[in-house]
Amino acid sequence: DAPAPTPETGPDVVGTFEGFQTYVRIPDPARGLLIYFHGGATTDEVAQVEQTVLFSMLYTEGFGVVATQRTAPGPDDNWDMTRDLGNNPDAARLERLLAQVRADHGLPDSLPLATIGFSDGAAMSMAFAALASDEGWPIVASFVHSGAYANLAGPVPTMLLQPENDPGQAPEAIARDLLDAGIRAEIVDQPERPAVPSAFLRNGLWDLEVATRAVEDLATFRLIDENGERLVADADMARALALYSNRSTFEGVLLAESRMRVLWATHRFSAYSADEEGRSLLDSL
C-alpha cells in the first residue's frame, strides 16, 4: 500500500499508432517488454494507480510496457481473441506496433515478451501469448488479472490473479490443464483486506490525515466497522459503494470508492501481488 509513483503520461510515452492510442515506456537498457491489454474503454487504464505501481516496479528491473487501444471501441466491447494472426486485427496491429517500438529503441527481435491484462484484457493476455507462441515469438510469460473466464492459454508460463470477491471465473481448470501439459502455472489469490487508513496511502495525493478522514466517512455510512472490516453483504457491495459515492460529501469520495473496490477484492486490477508477479517474470526469463 505504499504511495504509487506519479504515472508517466507525457508525449514521450502517450501517443498513437495507426490511429489508435498507445502507451509506450521503455527503459535503457531493456531486458524485456510487457504488453498490457486494457479491460476498460481505453489505454488510459495503464496509468491508473495500481497499474502504475506494478509497471514502475518492473521498469526498475528493466522491463518496458507497451499498450494500445483495442480495435472495438467502448467499455462493453472485447479484444479479438482469435488464435490466428492473419485473421486477428488486434494482434496484427500489435505485431506492427512492437516492430515499430523495437526500431525506435534499437531493441532486438529476441527481446523477451510477456503479456499482462485485466478483465477481457486478461483473457487477451492468454490468447495473445498463445498466438505469440504459435508464431515463434520470444514470449516467456502471461499474467491474467480477473480474466479466467475461459481457457485461452497456450504453452506459456501463466499466473492467474484472482480477487476474492470476483466470481464467475475458473482459474483452477486453466492452471490444471497447463500443469498437466508440463507448463508452469500459478494461481495467486488476492484476499479482501480491511479498510484501515494506511491502505489508502496508495493514492499519493493523500496523507495519513486525509486517509483517516476517508475511513471515518466510510464508517459513518456503515460500510465498515471501527476496525475497517466490511459490514456490507457480498451481494450488496457494488450497490453500497455506488450509493456511498452519490451521498457522501467527503471531498475525496470518488477516490475512496475506487480504493474500496480494490480493498474488497472485487473486479478491479490490484498490484497487491506485485512481488509475486515480478518473481514469476524473472523466473520465466
Side-chain angles (χ1 to χ4, degrees):
D1 292 320
T6 302
E8 299 289 338
T9 56
D12 54 331
V13 296
V14 177
T16 59
F17 178 78
E18 297 184 2
F20 291 86
Q21 184 179 354
T22 60
Y23 186 99
V24 178
R25 186 182 179 211
I26 309 297
D28 184 18
R31 65 191 301 190
L33 295 179
L34 308 169
I35 307 165
Y36 183 73
F37 296 97
H38 66 83
T42 72
T43 54
D44 292 344
E45 182 183 291
V46 76
Q48 290 177 352
V49 171
E50 293 294 309
Q51 287 88 336
T52 296
V53 169
L54 176 63
F55 290 126
S56 295
M57 184 190 78
L58 294 176
Y59 186 89
T60 66
E61 295 289 338
F63 294 93
V65 59
V66 177
T68 190
Q69 179 74 37
R70 63 172 171 244
T71 301
D76 297 322
D77 286 298
N78 290 284
W79 289 91
D80 189 331
M81 300 173 200
T82 305
R83 192 168 165 173
D84 179 355
L85 187 61
N87 291 294
N88 186 326
D90 282 336
R93 176 162 47 86
L94 188 50
E95 179 192 28
R96 296 190 295 273
L97 173 59
L98 289 170
Q100 185 64 58
V101 169
R102 291 188 189 99
D104 290 344
H105 295 272
L107 303 175
D109 291 345
S110 59
L111 193 69
L113 303 173
T115 60
I116 302 178
F118 169 68
S119 194
D120 79 293
M124 184 60 172
S125 177
M126 285 187 282
F128 189 85
L131 185 153
S133 177
D134 294 343
E135 295 293 324
W137 301 343
I139 185 75
V140 299
S142 177
F143 298 90
V144 181
H145 283 258
S146 295
Y149 298 106
N151 191 350
L152 301 173
V156 177
T158 300
M159 175 175 280
L160 301 126
L161 298 106
Q162 187 63 43
E164 181 178 355
N165 298 310
D166 190 9
Q169 301 170 55
E172 295 82 7
I174 298 172
R176 183 176 59 250
D177 287 350
L178 287 167
L179 291 169
D180 287 348
I183 307 298
R184 181 161 56 86
E186 299 176 74
I187 298 173
V188 175
D189 294 317
Q190 296 185 308
E192 179 178 342
R193 293 180 285 147
V196 295
S198 59
F200 287 82
L201 296 181
R202 181 77 96 198
N203 171 22
L205 298 175
W206 287 8
D207 58 18
L208 194 59
E209 179 184 351
V210 178
T212 300
R213 294 208 309 271
V215 170
E216 292 170 348
D217 192 56
L218 289 158
T220 297
F221 281 85
R222 301 297 296 164
L223 272 72
I224 58 174
D225 65 16
E226 65 275 10
N227 297 314
E229 299 293 343
R230 174 163 56 97
L231 295 174
V232 177
D234 291 359
D236 296 334
M237 283 193 288
R239 177 176 176 274
L241 288 170
L243 287 173
Y244 168 68
S245 66
N246 287 329
R247 294 176 178 175
S248 173
T249 59
F250 175 59
E251 65 272 20
V253 60
L254 295 181
L255 290 173
E257 179 202 0
S258 176
R259 188 67 185 149
M260 287 301 296
R261 295 180 186 275
V262 176
L263 294 175
W264 280 357
T266 66
H267 190 65
R268 287 295 185 272
F269 189 99
S270 173
Y272 184 62
S273 309
D275 284 347
E276 287 94 330
E277 289 186 83
R279 170 190 50 75
S280 180
L281 177 60
L282 294 175
D283 287 348
S284 297
L285 294 179

